[in-house]
Amino acid sequence: MPYVTVKMLEGRTDEQKRALVEKVTAAVSETIDASPEKITVFIEEMNKGNYAINGKRLSDQ
Amino acid sequence: MPYVTVKMLEGRTDEQKRALVEKVTAAVSETIDASPEKITVFIEEMNKGNYAINGKRLSDQ
Amino acid sequence: MPYVTVKMLEGRTDEQKRALVEKVTAAVSETIDASPEKITVFIEEMNKGNYAINGKRLSDQ
Amino acid sequence: MPYVTVKMLEGRTDEQKRALVEKVTAAVSETIDASPEKITVFIEEMNKGNYAINGKRLSDQ
Amino acid sequence: MPYVTVKMLEGRTDEQKRALVEKVTAAVSETIDASPEKITVFIEEMNKGNYAINGKRLSDQ
Amino acid sequence: MPYVTVKMLEGRTDEQKRALVEKVTAAVSETIDASPEKITVFIEEMNKGNYAINGKRLSDQ
């Protein structure tokens, strides 16, 4: 605890994901005073056919 | 806002998903008075091996 | 199945929620050919202090 | 209702998943007095590149 | 890991919740070979006005 | 997009939450190259009676 979930479009590189979980963990740790080894980060990746804004999927725009 | 997630078995066609996000967005917009361009829809697809009712997975029925 | 979650700011009336679940269920049913009695809708309500865009909570704007 | 989601690393066998949903359903049923046919279990599988503790992904450890 | 979420109607007693997390943890541990101290259980409680089946909220039935 | 959910125990101050969403948004923005106004952060708060590790709720420890 805490548990952080980042939901984003698929396609980020390993380098980006590595930086993402490192920086997000640091941001959470310093702002709510949680020790980093208690912080969990989940990445959830969506594809453009399963994500819509304004009634239209990204894959249809 | 609002954010709508539809969790369903995989296998729907693109045509069905396209209609789904369009109609769900309209239904949300008209009932809670939210403008369509502020409505997000996520589709999450499950496979039958990861979904169970009554203690039995769909793939085992 | 399917399972629909609508996440939105708190404050909608019972009348609005009643219409919301009815219309969303109909929209899902007709577009992906699922029978209405198999469709579940969850409403999740957020308060403005727990929701942020652009790094700023709604309650701080 | 209730709805149980088990989020775990990918790689479990069908045999393990079959036992998992059966035993979890029984555990929920007997402790909160819900009939088994009303209990739904979802399994969500993560890969090691999308899961981090202490700012480091499992795939990087 | 794993992370288990049990979503159910509000109103269960502390005694029931205590038994629920204990038995569910045991069920997960023995079936997928995870050590109990690595298993997290979250309980999410819904009210009847935010939960609908067949287009009708439980509070309206 | 992306959408970030931070699930944590209730009890943090407004000051902490304000800093949390600001720093997390910055961390996500700089690491995956997303513009801040497209980043959404949700905070979900748990109470100690609905959260268990090792089969025991925090409120029972």
Side-chain angles (χ1 to χ4, degrees):
Chain A
M1 171 214 50
Y3 304 92
V4 182
T5 303
V6 182
K7 192 176 189 128
M8 60 186 191
L9 283 178
E10 61 192 3
R12 261 68 181 212
T13 64
D14 266 319
E15 212 45 74
Q16 287 178 303
K17 290 186 187 177
R18 201 173 286 128
L20 173 69
V21 302
E22 185 191 323
K23 300 285 189 181
V24 166
T25 299
V28 172
S29 174
E30 70 184 49
T31 53
I32 63 167
D33 197 30
S35 99
E37 67 269 17
K38 298 226 158 186
I39 298 173
T40 304
V41 181
F42 305 109
I43 297 174
E44 291 184 3
E45 295 177 287
M46 306 178 281
N47 71 61
K48 293 184 173 180
N50 286 342
Y51 173 55
I53 294 184
N54 198 9
K56 224 181 181 65
R57 300 184 304 157
L58 234 68
S59 56
D60 293 328
Q61 289 176 345
Chain B
M1 173 212 47
Y3 303 92
V4 182
T5 303
V6 182
K7 192 175 189 131
M8 60 186 192
L9 282 178
E10 61 191 5
R12 261 68 181 214
T13 64
D14 266 319
E15 212 47 74
Q16 288 178 304
K17 290 186 187 177
R18 200 173 288 129
L20 172 69
V21 302
E22 185 191 322
K23 299 285 190 182
V24 166
T25 299
V28 172
S29 175
E30 70 184 48
T31 53
I32 63 168
D33 196 31
S35 99
E37 65 268 19
K38 299 226 158 186
I39 300 174
T40 304
V41 180
F42 305 109
I43 297 174
E44 292 184 1
E45 296 177 287
M46 307 179 281
N47 72 60
K48 293 184 174 181
N50 286 341
Y51 173 56
I53 294 183
N54 198 8
K56 224 181 182 66
R57 300 184 303 157
L58 234 68
S59 55
D60 293 329
Q61 289 178 345
Chain C
M1 172 212 50
Y3 302 93
V4 182
T5 304
V6 182
K7 191 177 190 129
M8 61 185 191
L9 282 178
E10 60 191 4
R12 262 70 180 211
T13 64
D14 265 320
E15 211 46 74
Q16 287 177 305
K17 291 185 187 176
R18 201 174 286 127
L20 172 70
V21 303
E22 185 190 323
K23 300 286 188 180
V24 166
T25 299
V28 172
S29 176
E30 72 183 48
T31 53
I32 64 169
D33 197 31
S35 99
E37 65 268 18
K38 299 226 159 186
I39 299 173
T40 304
V41 181
F42 305 109
I43 297 174
E44 292 183 1
E45 296 177 286
M46 306 178 281
N47 71 63
K48 293 185 173 180
N50 285 342
Y51 173 55
I53 294 183
N54 199 10
K56 222 179 182 66
R57 299 184 304 157
L58 235 68
S59 55
D60 293 328
Q61 288 177 347
Chain D
M1 172 213 49
Y3 303 92
V4 182
T5 304
V6 182
K7 192 176 190 129
M8 60 185 192
L9 282 178
E10 60 192 5
R12 262 67 180 214
T13 64
D14 266 320
E15 211 45 77
Q16 287 177 304
K17 290 185 187 178
R18 200 173 287 129
L20 172 70
V21 303
E22 185 190 323
K23 300 285 188 180
V24 166
T25 299
V28 172
S29 175
E30 70 184 50
T31 53
I32 62 167
D33 197 30
S35 99
E37 67 267 18
K38 299 228 158 186
I39 299 173
T40 304
V41 181
F42 306 109
I43 298 174
E44 292 184 1
E45 295 177 288
M46 306 178 282
N47 72 61
K48 293 184 173 181
N50 285 342
Y51 173 56
I53 293 183
N54 199 9
K56 225 183 180 64
R57 299 184 304 158
L58 234 69
S59 56
D60 294 327
Q61 288 176 346
Chain E
M1 173 210 51
Y3 303 92
V4 182
T5 303
V6 182
K7 192 177 189 128
M8 61 185 191
L9 283 178
E10 60 192 2
R12 262 69 181 212
T13 64
D14 266 319
E15 211 46 74
Q16 286 177 304
K17 290 186 186 176
R18 201 173 286 129
L20 172 69
V21 303
E22 185 191 323
K23 300 285 189 182
V24 166
T25 299
V28 172
S29 175
E30 70 184 47
T31 53
I32 63 168
D33 197 30
S35 99
E37 67 268 17
K38 301 227 159 187
I39 299 174
T40 304
V41 181
F42 305 109
I43 298 174
E44 291 184 2
E45 295 177 287
M46 307 179 280
N47 71 62
K48 293 183 173 182
N50 286 342
Y51 174 55
I53 294 183
N54 198 10
K56 224 180 182 67
R57 299 183 304 156
L58 234 68
S59 55
D60 293 328
Q61 289 178 345
Chain F
M1 173 211 50
Y3 304 92
V4 182
T5 304
V6 182
K7 192 176 189 133
M8 61 186 191
L9 282 178
E10 60 192 3
R12 262 68 181 213
T13 64
D14 266 318
E15 212 45 76
Q16 287 178 304
K17 289 186 187 176
R18 200 173 286 129
L20 172 70
V21 302
E22 185 190 323
K23 300 285 189 181
V24 166
T25 299
V28 171
S29 176
E30 71 183 48
T31 53
I32 64 169
D33 197 30
S35 99
E37 65 267 19
K38 298 228 160 185
I39 299 173
T40 304
V41 180
F42 306 108
I43 298 175
E44 292 184 1
E45 296 177 286
M46 306 179 280
N47 72 61
K48 294 185 173 180
N50 286 342
Y51 173 56
I53 294 182
N54 199 9
K56 225 181 180 65
R57 300 184 304 158
L58 234 68
S59 56
D60 293 329
Q61 287 177 348

